[in-house]
Amino acid sequence: MRVIPWIGRSACCLLAGLSPAAWAMPGPDPVADAAPAAPAAAAPPPVTAAIGYKGDVVAVAAGRNRSQRGVRYMDIVDLVVSADLERVAGWRGMTAMVDVLNAKGGRANNIANTLQGVDNSEVSDNQTRLFQAWVQQSFAGDRLSLLVGRYDLNSEFYHNDAAAPLIAPAFGIGSELASTGPNGPSIFPQTALAVRLRATGPVRADGGRAYAQAAVVRAPRGIADDGPRTALLVAEAGWQGRTSVALGGWSYTRSQPRITPPGVTVTAGRAMSHGVYLLVEQDLAGRADAPGHWRAFGRMGLSDGRTTPFAGGWQLGVTGQGVVSGRPDSLVSLGASSGALSSHYRRGNPPKASPLARAESTIELTYSDRVTSFLQLQPDVQYIRRPGGVRDRPDALVVVLRAAIDWTLF
């Protein structure tokens, strides 16, 4: 599968299709023109700072033995500073953001023994790190932007808003991409330098708009490094609105080590690492950002299956906002996911090891609500079928209670 030329040609064609000639605003809207003007909202300060704390209590039952059961605690402190550099320094259309986080705590997945993880706050080592630090320059009435700096790829690529409340990592970015590269593709918790170009079309009468984006990411260093630094090329394009559809593709510029069991084990030989993905979201009821809004999502990804355990995967689910009367911040989300193990990975299973299944699958149900102006609680339950893709391994039950506290400093 020759993904690199496809990414380059697709990005050029899509960005050209969103050229300034296509950005002309639609004609006058009689209904909108007749409506009274809304009072102007107060402009935010030119520099803002916020700090958040997220703590998870994670209980795992993955078998009858004591070593297969346990409770772990993990937390993240996150400081985000954003600046409108046009108002601060007169640099028209330029913004900046710095995100520093401290992540630490127990490793619940050491008990669950999954390939995809059970909590999107879990890290392999405790440390304070610079997570993001970038500047962004906007052009053409904010319909074209160029971002340069340390960047979380999943903040804009392979991302579904409707899947975001779920805690299992597979709902953040597909496992077939998340498990690639020397140390992941510049996502939580390890990011790297990137250049991202994004173009958007005009907003239509129904609120939808087309977009296209492409990025070049310097892959983070990791344990699989054994040669020159590699880069990740990603392109994605689609439509955002009541119905959202996106198609993306990715490829590394240099071959990567092949992966075999147990877990993610680097073996002899190298291969090119590449894949594609499809994202779909659909409003089912209500309107966005209002109580009674229900939105479904579906995702599917495919990869080479030689530099990652997964040949592909899928995620499906639905999220409802304001589901409890009188509680606009109440939210419920139900999701199912499956990571399909590649034939290459299964063939590499040691002869005396337990046989591997075709997939590791998860069902998750979560509820979230703001109980005070600054505190949000989120109970969550996950049922994991065949953790680690091992056929005879007992299924795992994971229960999480997440508490999130946020403060706006200025």
Side-chain angles (χ1 to χ4, degrees):
M1 181 165 54
R2 295 183 176 275
V3 177
I4 295 179
W6 179 86
I7 291 176
R9 290 195 298 270
S10 299
C12 292
C13 293
L14 289 164
L15 291 174
L18 294 173
S19 62
W23 294 340
M25 294 301 291
D29 185 340
V31 176
D33 292 347
V47 179
T48 61
I51 188 168
Y53 176 84
K54 181 167 60 179
D56 292 0
V57 178
V58 185
V60 180
R64 296 182 178 180
N65 297 331
R66 180 173 296 181
S67 62
Q68 297 172 310
R69 297 169 177 261
V71 178
R72 297 291 185 269
Y73 182 78
M74 59 194 74
D75 61 6
I76 296 175
V77 179
D78 193 15
L79 173 65
V80 179
V81 179
S82 302
D84 182 343
L85 297 181
E86 181 173 350
R87 298 169 61 192
V88 173
W91 296 337
R92 186 175 180 181
M94 183 171 286
T95 56
M97 193 265 277
V98 175
D99 184 353
V100 178
L101 61 82
N102 176 271
K104 57 182 174 51
R107 297 169 181 82
N109 199 46
N110 288 355
I111 306 173
N113 285 311
T114 74
L115 285 171
Q116 301 180 90
V118 297
D119 192 303
N120 54 19
S121 292
E122 185 170 348
V123 294
S124 59
D125 58 337
N126 303 336
Q127 62 175 278
T128 300
R129 67 189 76 202
L130 180 62
F131 184 51
Q132 295 194 87
W134 48 254
V135 293
Q136 178 175 258
Q137 178 66 58
S138 297
F139 309 91
D142 293 334
R143 294 196 185 95
L144 184 66
S145 64
L146 179 67
L147 180 148
V148 180
R150 199 175 187 95
Y151 173 65
D152 175 15
L153 185 73
N154 193 218
S155 64
E156 295 180 307
F157 289 82
Y158 212 146
H159 176 86
N160 288 94
D161 287 339
L166 294 163
I167 289 176
F171 294 104
I173 189 169
S175 300
E176 79 284 351
L177 175 53
S179 58
T180 63
N183 198 5
S186 190
I187 57 175
F188 175 86
Q190 187 65 48
T191 55
L193 296 177
V195 177
R196 188 271 290 148
L197 180 65
R198 179 179 172 91
T200 57
V203 179
R204 301 301 182 182
D206 61 357
R209 70 183 341 180
Y211 77 96
Q213 57 188 14
V216 179
V217 183
R218 192 183 190 197
R221 287 287 192 189
I223 58 173
D225 283 336
D226 60 354
R229 196 77 172 263
T230 186
L232 172 65
L233 310 178
V234 190
E236 179 183 306
W239 178 267
Q240 295 174 324
R242 291 183 60 85
T243 299
S244 297
V245 181
L247 178 66
W250 54 271
S251 181
Y252 286 88
T253 57
R254 295 181 180 273
S255 61
Q256 301 295 301
R258 292 175 180 262
I259 300 298
T260 61
V264 180
T265 302
V266 176
T267 188
R270 302 179 70 87
M272 292 304 297
S273 182
H274 47 248
V276 295
Y277 59 88
L278 173 69
L279 313 176
V280 179
E281 289 191 54
Q282 174 65 54
D283 280 358
L284 302 179
R287 58 184 180 85
D289 301 321
H293 180 228
W294 287 86
R295 190 165 174 88
F297 67 88
R299 300 137 50 99
M300 182 180 69
L302 300 172
S303 81
D304 61 278
R306 294 170 295 176
T307 59
T308 167
F310 304 101
W314 56 263
Q315 300 85 37
L316 297 171
V318 61
T319 296
Q321 181 179 346
V323 295
V324 177
S325 178
R327 303 197 66 84
D329 293 318
S330 60
L331 179 148
V332 66
S333 188
L334 174 66
S337 72
S338 181
L341 302 185
S342 71
S343 58
H344 167 82
Y345 183 79
R346 297 198 309 272
R347 286 196 302 268
N349 199 34
K352 295 183 179 181
S354 298
L356 294 179
R358 290 185 175 275
E360 175 187 274
S361 304
T362 301
I363 297 177
E364 179 178 357
L365 175 65
T366 195
Y367 174 82
S368 174
D369 203 353
R370 187 170 292 277
V371 296
T372 70
S373 60
F374 61 87
L375 175 63
Q376 183 173 313
L377 295 179
Q378 181 178 357
D380 179 276
V381 60
Q382 302 172 36
Y383 183 80
I384 303 165
R385 177 73 169 155
R386 291 174 172 161
V390 178
R391 187 182 301 168
D392 56 3
R393 182 173 291 171
D395 296 347
L397 180 66
V398 178
V399 179
V400 182
L401 178 60
R402 170 170 289 179
I405 302 173
D406 54 82
W407 299 273
T408 299
L409 302 180
F410 54 83

